[in-house]
Amino acid sequence: MDVKQLEYMVKIAEEQNISRAAEKLFITQSALNQQLLKLERQLGTPLFFRSRSQFRPTPAGEIYLAGAREMLRIKKDTYRQIGDLLDARSGRLAVGLLSGRGMDMFTSIYPEFQRQYPQVDVEPVEMSVREQQVQVAAGTLDIGFVTVAPFQKDQNRYQRICVEEIFLALPQESPLAEQYRQDRLQGQKPDWGRLQEIPFVTINRESTLRPLIDSVLENAEVSPRILFETGNFHTLVRMVQAGLCASFLPWHYLRPNPDGIAIFPLSPRLTWEIHAMTRQKSYLSQAGACLIQLAAQFWRG
């Protein structure tokens, strides 16, 4: 079976469009279409439903693509094992990163990784946890760096890097912050019902943090007024600093001790875990293991 042909069909399925697939493969659309027609003749059945704007796999196409992806994964794993055996220190890594924190980590560790593996090309891609889970399972991503609670893990392999605490963040000069400071000084348990007194901005529902926050508010029987939702934690920090609202923030964004923010631990404490995620039974190259080790040093630092 022609490996190039496998790659061609997988790319058509990924792009759902033969023109875009040809562009990504650096071949002409006509050449790609001829490869597809040739394969369909060999198999005696169409692999894709065609429309003017979309190519969707037929039932036969789904079977072919599942086998093609697995064969490409085996090829990649085999080459990496041989490369490590020969200490080749070359290759490519596709790495999933969360928006904001993921790129903060990557830009910090990449110079050292490049020093150790100068011939390894790294392709960092920002995407949500759920997108990374799908792409790692499919073999499109080699490593995903994700933040999840235990119940949010799927069939992929998870290597815990660290546990991170989530805090209530309030404007430094707000009356509510002062009340909570007094509670803490007097050894009293905070009255979370007071959260009704201040508007909130929160992470959107795509984030794996959102179910944890919703659970905290539900247990406290609090329904705060939500000004808006965003997918960017840096935006949440700036809104709290401006004195406009409260929010729940992971420690990573509070570690620099941003001006204008008072932070309070929740009771019971709320945490989630930072993991390096890889596909079950896939081979992790020495370069990939190095990248994970450097990421762990960053998060634990």
Side-chain angles (χ1 to χ4, degrees), residues 91-133:
R92 176 182 172 275
L93 285 173
V95 179
L97 302 170
L98 295 172
S99 177
R101 67 164 59 228
M103 196 54 71
D104 290 345
M105 176 273 292
F106 183 76
T107 54
S108 294
I109 71 171
Y110 182 67
E112 175 58 23
F113 177 82
Q114 190 178 43
R115 186 188 70 77
Q116 295 189 41
Y117 289 89
Q119 301 303 315
V120 174
D121 294 327
V122 181
E123 180 187 354
V125 185
E126 288 186 303
M127 57 178 67
S128 70
V129 170
R130 291 180 180 87
E131 289 173 320
Q132 289 189 53
Q133 288 173 325

Side-chain angles (χ1 to χ4, degrees), residues 58-78:
T58 63
E62 294 286 4
I63 295 171
Y64 179 90
L65 289 165
R69 291 184 177 110
E70 184 62 15
M71 283 184 275
L72 290 172
R73 183 193 67 77
I74 292 171
K75 175 197 169 187
K76 182 166 64 175
D77 281 1
T78 301

